[in-house]
CSV table of all heavy atoms in Angstrom, one decimal:
chain,number,residue,atom,x,y,z
A,76,SER,N,177.6,28.6,13.7
A,76,SER,CA,177.7,30.1,13.9
A,76,SER,C,178.5,30.4,15.1
A,76,SER,O,178.7,29.6,16.0
A,76,SER,CB,176.3,30.7,14.0
A,76,SER,OG,175.6,30.2,15.2
A,77,VAL,N,178.9,31.7,15.2
A,77,VAL,CA,179.5,32.2,16.5
A,77,VAL,C,178.7,33.4,16.9
A,77,VAL,O,178.0,34.0,16.1
A,77,VAL,CB,181.0,32.6,16.2
A,77,VAL,CG1,181.8,31.4,15.9
A,77,VAL,CG2,181.1,33.7,15.1
A,78,GLY,N,178.7,33.7,18.2
A,78,GLY,CA,177.9,34.7,18.7
A,78,GLY,C,178.7,35.6,19.8
A,78,GLY,O,179.6,35.1,20.4
A,79,LYS,N,178.2,36.8,19.9
A,79,LYS,CA,178.8,37.7,20.9
A,79,LYS,C,177.7,38.3,21.7
A,79,LYS,O,176.6,38.7,21.1
A,79,LYS,CB,179.6,38.8,20.2
A,79,LYS,CG,180.2,39.8,21.1
A,79,LYS,CD,181.0,40.9,20.4
A,79,LYS,CE,180.0,41.9,19.9
A,79,LYS,NZ,180.6,43.2,19.5
A,80,VAL,N,177.9,38.5,23.0
A,80,VAL,CA,176.9,39.1,23.9
A,80,VAL,C,177.6,40.2,24.6
A,80,VAL,O,178.6,39.9,25.4
A,80,VAL,CB,176.2,38.2,24.8
A,80,VAL,CG1,175.2,38.9,25.7
A,80,VAL,CG2,175.6,37.0,24.1
A,81,LYS,N,177.2,41.5,24.4
A,81,LYS,CA,177.8,42.6,25.2
A,81,LYS,C,176.8,43.0,26.3
A,81,LYS,O,175.6,43.4,25.9
A,81,LYS,CB,178.1,43.8,24.2
A,81,LYS,CG,178.7,45.0,24.9
A,81,LYS,CD,178.9,46.1,23.9
A,81,LYS,CE,179.4,47.3,24.6
A,81,LYS,NZ,179.6,48.5,23.6
A,82,ARG,N,177.2,43.0,27.5
A,82,ARG,CA,176.3,43.3,28.7
A,82,ARG,C,176.8,44.6,29.3
A,82,ARG,O,177.9,44.7,29.7
A,82,ARG,CB,176.3,42.2,29.7
A,82,ARG,CG,175.9,40.8,29.2
A,82,ARG,CD,176.1,39.7,30.2
A,82,ARG,NE,175.4,40.0,31.5
A,82,ARG,CZ,175.7,39.5,32.7
A,82,ARG,NH1,176.8,38.7,32.8
A,82,ARG,NH2,174.9,39.7,33.7
A,83,THR,N,175.9,45.6,29.3
A,83,THR,CA,176.2,46.8,29.9
A,83,THR,C,175.3,47.0,31.1
A,83,THR,O,174.1,47.1,31.0
A,83,THR,CB,176.0,48.0,29.0
A,83,THR,OG1,176.8,47.8,27.8
A,83,THR,CG2,176.4,49.3,29.6
A,84,ILE,N,175.9,47.0,32.3
A,84,ILE,CA,175.2,46.9,33.6
A,84,ILE,C,175.5,48.2,34.4
A,84,ILE,O,176.6,48.5,34.6
A,84,ILE,CB,175.6,45.7,34.4
A,84,ILE,CG1,175.3,44.4,33.6
A,84,ILE,CG2,174.8,45.6,35.8
A,84,ILE,CD1,175.9,43.2,34.2
A,85,THR,N,174.4,48.9,34.8
A,85,THR,CA,174.5,50.0,35.6
A,85,THR,C,173.8,49.8,37.0
A,85,THR,O,172.6,49.4,37.0
A,85,THR,CB,173.9,51.3,34.9
A,85,THR,OG1,174.5,51.5,33.7
A,85,THR,CG2,174.0,52.5,35.8
A,86,LYS,N,174.6,49.9,38.0
A,86,LYS,CA,174.0,49.7,39.4
A,86,LYS,C,174.7,50.6,40.4
A,86,LYS,O,175.9,50.7,40.4
A,86,LYS,CB,174.3,48.2,39.8
A,86,LYS,CG,173.6,47.8,41.1
A,86,LYS,CD,173.8,46.4,41.4
A,86,LYS,CE,173.1,46.0,42.7
A,86,LYS,NZ,173.2,44.5,43.0
A,87,ASN,N,173.9,51.3,41.2
A,87,ASN,CA,174.4,52.2,42.1
A,87,ASN,C,175.3,53.3,41.5
A,87,ASN,O,176.4,53.7,42.1
A,87,ASN,CB,175.2,51.5,43.3
A,87,ASN,CG,174.3,50.5,44.0
A,87,ASN,OD1,173.1,50.8,44.3
A,87,ASN,ND2,174.9,49.4,44.4
A,88,GLY,N,174.9,53.7,40.3
A,88,GLY,CA,175.7,54.8,39.6
A,88,GLY,C,177.0,54.3,39.0
A,88,GLY,O,177.7,55.1,38.3
A,89,LYS,N,177.3,53.0,39.0
A,89,LYS,CA,178.5,52.5,38.4
A,89,LYS,C,178.1,51.6,37.2
A,89,LYS,O,177.2,50.8,37.3
A,89,LYS,CB,179.3,51.6,39.4
A,89,LYS,CG,180.6,51.1,38.9
A,89,LYS,CD,181.3,50.3,40.0
A,89,LYS,CE,182.6,49.8,39.5
A,89,LYS,NZ,183.4,49.0,40.5
A,90,THR,N,178.8,51.8,36.1
A,90,THR,CA,178.5,51.0,34.9
A,90,THR,C,179.7,50.1,34.5
A,90,THR,O,180.8,50.5,34.6
A,90,THR,CB,178.3,52.0,33.7
A,90,THR,OG1,177.1,52.8,34.0
A,90,THR,CG2,178.0,51.2,32.4
A,91,THR,N,179.4,48.9,34.3
A,91,THR,CA,180.4,47.9,33.9
A,91,THR,C,180.0,47.3,32.5
A,91,THR,O,178.8,47.1,32.3
A,91,THR,CB,180.5,46.8,34.9
A,91,THR,OG1,179.3,46.1,35.1
A,91,THR,CG2,181.0,47.3,36.2
A,92,VAL,N,180.9,46.9,31.7
A,92,VAL,CA,180.7,46.3,30.4
A,92,VAL,C,181.4,45.0,30.3
A,92,VAL,O,182.6,44.9,30.7
A,92,VAL,CB,181.2,47.3,29.3
A,92,VAL,CG1,180.9,46.6,27.9
A,92,VAL,CG2,180.5,48.6,29.3
A,93,GLU,N,180.7,44.0,29.9
A,93,GLU,CA,181.3,42.6,29.8
A,93,GLU,C,180.9,42.1,28.4
A,93,GLU,O,179.7,42.2,28.0
A,93,GLU,CB,180.7,41.7,30.9
A,93,GLU,CG,181.3,40.3,30.8
A,93,GLU,CD,180.6,39.4,31.9
A,93,GLU,OE1,179.4,39.6,32.3
A,93,GLU,OE2,181.2,38.4,32.3
A,94,THR,N,181.9,41.5,27.7
A,94,THR,CA,181.6,40.8,26.4
A,94,THR,C,181.9,39.4,26.5
A,94,THR,O,183.0,38.9,26.9
A,94,THR,CB,182.5,41.5,25.3
A,94,THR,OG1,182.2,42.9,25.3
A,94,THR,CG2,182.1,40.9,24.0
A,95,LEU,N,180.9,38.6,26.1
A,95,LEU,CA,181.0,37.1,26.1
A,95,LEU,C,180.9,36.5,24.7
A,95,LEU,O,180.2,37.1,23.9
A,95,LEU,CB,179.9,36.5,27.0
A,95,LEU,CG,179.7,37.1,28.4
A,95,LEU,CD1,178.5,36.6,29.1
A,95,LEU,CD2,181.0,36.7,29.3
A,96,TYR,N,181.6,35.4,24.5
A,96,TYR,CA,181.6,34.8,23.2
A,96,TYR,C,181.1,33.4,23.2
A,96,TYR,O,181.3,32.7,24.2
A,96,TYR,CB,183.0,34.9,22.6
A,96,TYR,CG,183.5,36.3,22.4
A,96,TYR,CD1,184.3,36.9,23.4
A,96,TYR,CD2,183.2,37.0,21.3
A,96,TYR,CE1,184.7,38.2,23.3
A,96,TYR,CE2,183.7,38.3,21.1
A,96,TYR,CZ,184.4,38.9,22.1
A,96,TYR,OH,184.9,40.2,22.0
A,97,TYR,N,180.4,32.9,22.1
A,97,TYR,CA,179.8,31.6,22.1
A,97,TYR,C,180.0,31.0,20.7
A,97,TYR,O,180.2,31.6,19.7
A,97,TYR,CB,178.3,31.7,22.3
A,97,TYR,CG,178.0,32.2,23.7
A,97,TYR,CD1,177.9,33.6,23.9
A,97,TYR,CD2,177.6,31.4,24.7
A,97,TYR,CE1,177.6,34.1,25.2
A,97,TYR,CE2,177.3,31.9,26.0
A,97,TYR,CZ,177.3,33.2,26.2
A,97,TYR,OH,177.0,33.7,27.5
A,98,ILE,N,180.0,29.6,20.7
A,98,ILE,CA,179.9,28.9,19.5
A,98,ILE,C,178.6,28.1,19.5
A,98,ILE,O,178.1,27.7,20.6
A,98,ILE,CB,181.2,27.9,19.3
A,98,ILE,CG1,181.2,26.9,20.4
A,98,ILE,CG2,182.4,28.7,19.1
A,98,ILE,CD1,182.3,25.8,20.3
A,99,SER,N,178.0,27.9,18.3
A,99,SER,CA,176.7,27.3,18.3
A,99,SER,C,176.5,26.5,17.0
A,99,SER,O,177.1,26.8,16.0
A,99,SER,CB,175.7,28.4,18.4
A,99,SER,OG,174.4,27.8,18.3
């Protein structure tokens, strides 16, 4: 399988989005 993780982080009023990919 393959996987994706989307992380949405909000800190001090600022939002960042990061997408990571995996094989399994």
Side-chain angles (χ1 to χ4, degrees):
S76 65
V77 294
K79 181 184 78 165
V80 181
K81 181 182 178 182
R82 301 171 63 200
T83 304
I84 302 168
T85 303
K86 186 175 182 180
N87 298 326
K89 183 179 179 180
T90 299
T91 59
V92 179
E93 178 185 29
T94 303
L95 307 171
Y96 299 94
Y97 296 84
I98 58 174
S99 177

